[in-house]
Amino acid sequence: MPEVVSYALEGDIAVITVANPPVNALSLPVRQGLAKCFERFAADAGAKAAVLICDGRTFIAGADITEFDKPIEQPWLPVVVHQIEDCAKPVVAAIHGTALGGGLETAMACHYRVAIASAQLGLPEVTLGLLPGATGTQRLPRLAGVQAALDAMISGKPMTAKGAQEKGVVDAVVEGDLKTGAIAFAHDLLKAGKGPRKVRDIQIDASTLPTNFFADYRKAIARDTRGFFAPGQIISCVEAAVSLPYFDAVARENELFMQCMTSSQSSAQRHMFFAEREVAKIPDVPKDTPMREVRQVAVIGGGTMGGGIAMNFANVGIPVLLKEINQEALDRGMAIIRGNYEGPVKKGRMSQTQMDQCIALITPTLDYQAIANADLVIEAVFETMAVKKEVFENLDAVCKPGAILASNTSSLNVDEIAAFTKRPQDVIGLHFFAPANVMTLLEIVRGEKTSKDVIATCMALAKTIRKIGVLVKVCFGFVGNRMYFPYVREAQRMVLEGVPPERIDRVAYDWGMAMGPHGVSDLSGLDVFDKLNKEWKEKPDDPAYCRLITVLVAKGRLGQKSGAGIYKYEGRTPVSDPEVLAIAKAEAAALNIPQLEISDEEIIERLFYSMINEGALILDEGIAMRSGDIDVVYCCGYGMPRHRGGPMQYADEVGLDKVYAAMQKYRGRYGDLYWTSAPLIERLAKSGQTFAQWSASRG
Ligand code: T1G
């Protein structure tokens, strides 16, 4: 087994190299290797200084996240970083790739840091529900200042090498070979008589902070981090850095870190980290499946979705043809795209040149013949089978052999669409989420006949266009929407039972959803939902099913776009509307629906357990491969907070026995139609297994 940390003397410089692919994570062997090599360095009279460097594509990218669910073995990282810092001879960290989390903490325990220009440095622990637990909360404020350190740790966003140098985190950005540059830097230190420089000796002058700085910082992030545990912990660590002696503050950091690590939120976020990577693993489509080259894309339909879809490809340099049925629609489509780019340009997130380059990659056309050579065609036209039929018959007639023909349908049967062509093996669903140029989720819908190379190509393409592709099978609504239907159904039913929509939305928002169900319904358009219900062949035989939406649509109340829906709108601000409550009351009376006193806990149970039950049915039917895949769909496409880990992780956290018992309770009140538990929930509740364990056991 090759050494994960090696020691070599190059002249009078000890070069300590970590080689633990794929990202040089600080696993136990790496920590042990570092301790051993730095002991050797301390004892090696021939070594006047040391360079810490990594093999492979990156400097240490953090602690080994797989270790967090096991007892962490000594030496813990804080012990190793202090051993490095206490060396009597200077240590230089040589950084490339992504020095993240424990990696940056290790680099900050070194006395100096050099990096190549492309390197990135950050403390993203918050994205795992953690905090930098190996003195990072103590060192970054000393190097970069309190405000910049807090911003970096609360956002979790990395700094560029240049940015880190400007903040004092990196001492030099080296040109050419990193190791050569780092050794030269070490020699310069020695020539200048510079010895170890301990970050922990830097004093933070608390008097430079505005009064109430930390209280104000907490207030400033409160809304965006509502219900999220780790950010507040990070602020407390930095408060300790400012007010306590270093080692007392380190002890405080460790205490707060352990509280994070053992929290259900961190467990959920670590679950999401791996689930987002697991989605790319498809048992019957191996990693070496050949892929088709995609050099030219065409999008059919230049509406809001089509325009957004086209942007995804232009943004990564892939030329796109945008086809519409007439010049007016085409001009409107191009105007939508231009408008979508102008926002980020105005905010400075994109340069005018970049915008112009992207737009130049999008070629409008009215002619099907123009797309004959496209490698991938994505249809984003009206959501009716009749229109899909016309488009796919045209595509079948015009497109070259081997072109991938994709539908952006959000619910229609991809197998039926494939049957409009003579090449069903080339047909797939690529379900983007609005706004298509922003949302990271892409539901990739494999038809019965979709070929494996088409699947492999689309899964890889998702990563190319910076999306998370989740492979699902065909059913009405696929995974995300199919689970969203019961969520809305219960939200609607509770309004008929007398719960004001704004209360339901507040409870869901406080639970962590980006927006409550009624706000989302108004945003998407009540007519969209009503049309779906009308087209749904297996719609529940229940006159109360989303009755309020049907009545509101009939009254022309379509949601935000018509100025009124479930709420009235003053601009985009939703305002409770007594007229809607009256309509709900009248409809409830007509349907003999009793008015109920419903607790917040019941609101949560009925919203999310109905969704979870549908998810369990989806797993049982094989529409989704793993419970983690469903969690990725919900955290990347439906505004569910990562610190909940997705609906299935939440169910595992609550306990499937409790979910099952609650469902039985509602089944007693409402009958079998909606509250019959999925067989999988019943099985797991009785066996004590979780969805995650069940998914893992299926390989
Ligand atoms: N631990 C274990 N495995 C990891 C890992 C990690 N830190 N980072 C990546 N992997 C695996 C990943 O699961 C995948 O495995 C493979 O490496 C490639 O990853 C004490 C507590 C570095 C930017 O949060 O952000 O330090 O799927 O597909 O797109 O204070 O990985 O191939 O089997 O993501 O090129 C803090 C997490 C940890 C960084 C590379 N560090 N990693 O992205 O490759 S907590 C992080 C990333 C900590 C200390 C605290 C990215 C990357 P597989 P990948 P990539």
Side-chain angles (χ1 to χ4, degrees), residues 22-23 57 61-65 68 102 105 125 128 132-133 273 277 281:
V23 297
R57 58 178 163 153
D64 184 337
I65 304 172
F68 288 131
E105 291 177 297
E125 287 86 341
L128 298 167
F273 177 85
R277 288 153 177 83
K281 295 167 187 166

Side-chain angles (χ1 to χ4, degrees), residues 517-538:
H518 298 301
V520 173
S521 296
D522 270 355
L523 181 65
S524 316
L526 301 185
D527 52 330
V528 172
F529 206 82
D530 197 44
K531 179 173 163 296
L532 262 176
N533 287 338
K534 288 193 171 78
E535 292 202 339
W536 186 7
K537 295 182 190 103
E538 297 88 40

Side-chain angles (χ1 to χ4, degrees), residues 401-591:
I404 296 173
L405 309 181
S407 171
N408 172 55
T409 181
S410 59
S411 61
L412 298 179
N413 188 313
V414 172
D415 292 324
E416 282 181 37
I417 291 172
F420 298 141
T421 75
K422 296 184 220 36
R423 46 177 124 176
Q425 71 282 0
D426 298 337
V427 178
I428 195 165
L430 291 180
H431 177 211
F432 289 81
F433 286 75
N437 54 305
V438 174
M439 295 298 279
T440 53
L441 177 64
L442 177 62
E443 270 187 330
I444 299 176
V445 188
R446 68 185 296 176
E448 278 301 317
K449 296 179 180 162
T450 304
S451 68
K452 294 186 178 183
D453 65 328
V454 168
I455 293 169
T457 304
C458 291
M459 291 298 290
L461 201 57
K463 199 160 182 176
T464 303
I465 60 173
R466 305 181 198 124
K467 299 285 182 188
I468 298 239
V470 181
L471 188 66
V472 300
K473 286 189 176 172
V474 175
C475 68
F476 188 74
F478 311 132
V479 170
N481 283 346
R482 176 171 159 185
M483 290 172 66
Y484 204 73
F485 297 152
Y487 174 77
V488 171
R489 178 198 77 217
E490 287 305 306
Q492 284 280 310
R493 173 82 192 204
M494 287 189 274
V495 175
L496 293 183
E497 290 170 341
V499 184
E502 58 273 17
R503 179 169 164 235
I504 295 166
D505 279 6
R506 180 185 51 71
V507 169
Y509 179 83
D510 290 347
W511 183 86
M513 296 300 283
M515 187 187 279
H518 298 301
V520 173
S521 296
D522 270 355
L523 181 65
S524 316
L526 301 185
D527 52 330
V528 172
F529 206 82
D530 197 44
K531 179 173 163 296
L532 262 176
N533 287 338
K534 288 193 171 78
E535 292 202 339
W536 186 7
K537 295 182 190 103
E538 297 88 40
K539 192 183 106 176
D541 177 16
D542 166 13
Y545 182 82
C546 294
R547 175 69 188 155
L548 181 62
I549 285 180
T550 304
V551 172
L552 292 175
V553 169
K555 290 174 177 292
R557 295 180 65 123
L558 309 182
Q560 271 194 33
K561 61 186 167 188
S562 66
I566 294 164
Y567 299 108
K568 272 189 305 199
Y569 287 87
E570 289 156 12
R572 293 168 66 90
T573 310
V575 176
S576 172
D577 185 348
E579 187 191 340
V580 170
L581 300 180
I583 292 169
K585 212 171 179 65
E587 290 301 322
L591 292 162

Side-chain angles (χ1 to χ4, degrees), residues 227-530:
F228 185 13
F229 183 56
Q233 300 284 88
I234 290 171
I235 296 173
S236 299
C237 286
V238 178
E239 282 184 296
V242 172
S243 57
L244 296 179
Y246 173 79
F247 281 106
D248 294 347
V250 167
R252 176 79 175 130
E253 176 193 81
N254 185 261
E255 177 196 345
L256 297 175
F257 172 80
M258 292 310 289
Q259 290 171 8
C260 287
M261 199 180 78
T262 53
S263 71
S264 61
Q265 290 192 3
S266 181
S267 168
Q269 288 174 260
R270 300 195 308 263
H271 159 74
M272 279 304 297
F273 177 85
F274 291 112
E276 282 178 330
R277 288 153 177 83
E278 188 79 16
V279 292
K281 295 167 187 166
I282 304 158
D284 71 329
V285 183
K287 239 180 168 170
D288 59 359
T289 303
M291 290 191 273
R292 301 185 189 181
E293 207 172 355
V294 177
R295 285 156 308 176
Q296 171 73 59
V297 172
V299 174
I300 313 295
T304 311
M305 287 303 285
I309 292 169
M311 290 171 67
N312 287 308
F313 295 94
N315 292 345
V316 295
I318 299 176
V320 192
L321 293 157
L322 183 68
K323 167 138 184 356
E324 256 294 359
I325 48 172
N326 60 49
Q327 194 58 49
E328 187 204 348
L330 198 52
D331 294 345
R332 195 168 48 243
M334 291 306 290
I336 288 172
I337 291 170
R338 193 173 297 283
N340 287 343
Y341 279 122
E342 277 159 2
V345 170
K346 275 199 196 95
K347 290 179 190 143
R349 288 208 304 268
M350 181 180 229
S351 71
Q352 186 60 52
T353 309
Q354 286 169 318
M355 171 179 161
D356 297 342
Q357 285 166 344
C358 290
I359 289 186
L361 283 167
I362 301 173
T363 306
T365 180
L366 295 172
D367 176 9
Y368 263 115
Q369 285 308 328
I371 67 168
N373 275 323
D375 303 300
L376 164 68
V377 184
I378 303 172
E379 158 275 314
V381 297
F382 281 121
E383 192 71 353
T384 63
M385 236 359 150
V387 178
K388 307 294 186 192
K389 181 174 189 303
E390 185 195 346
V391 168
F392 275 82
E393 285 173 347
N394 275 317
L395 296 181
D396 198 27
V398 167
C399 294
K400 69 180 181 185
I404 296 173
L405 309 181
S407 171
N408 172 55
T409 181
S410 59
S411 61
L412 298 179
N413 188 313
V414 172
D415 292 324
E416 282 181 37
I417 291 172
F420 298 141
T421 75
K422 296 184 220 36
R423 46 177 124 176
Q425 71 282 0
D426 298 337
V427 178
I428 195 165
L430 291 180
H431 177 211
F432 289 81
F433 286 75
N437 54 305
V438 174
M439 295 298 279
T440 53
L441 177 64
L442 177 62
E443 270 187 330
I444 299 176
V445 188
R446 68 185 296 176
E448 278 301 317
K449 296 179 180 162
T450 304
S451 68
K452 294 186 178 183
D453 65 328
V454 168
I455 293 169
T457 304
C458 291
M459 291 298 290
L461 201 57
K463 199 160 182 176
T464 303
I465 60 173
R466 305 181 198 124
K467 299 285 182 188
I468 298 239
V470 181
L471 188 66
V472 300
K473 286 189 176 172
V474 175
C475 68
F476 188 74
F478 311 132
V479 170
N481 283 346
R482 176 171 159 185
M483 290 172 66
Y484 204 73
F485 297 152
Y487 174 77
V488 171
R489 178 198 77 217
E490 287 305 306
Q492 284 280 310
R493 173 82 192 204
M494 287 189 274
V495 175
L496 293 183
E497 290 170 341
V499 184
E502 58 273 17
R503 179 169 164 235
I504 295 166
D505 279 6
R506 180 185 51 71
V507 169
Y509 179 83
D510 290 347
W511 183 86
M513 296 300 283
M515 187 187 279
H518 298 301
V520 173
S521 296
D522 270 355
L523 181 65
S524 316
L526 301 185
D527 52 330
V528 172
F529 206 82
D530 197 44

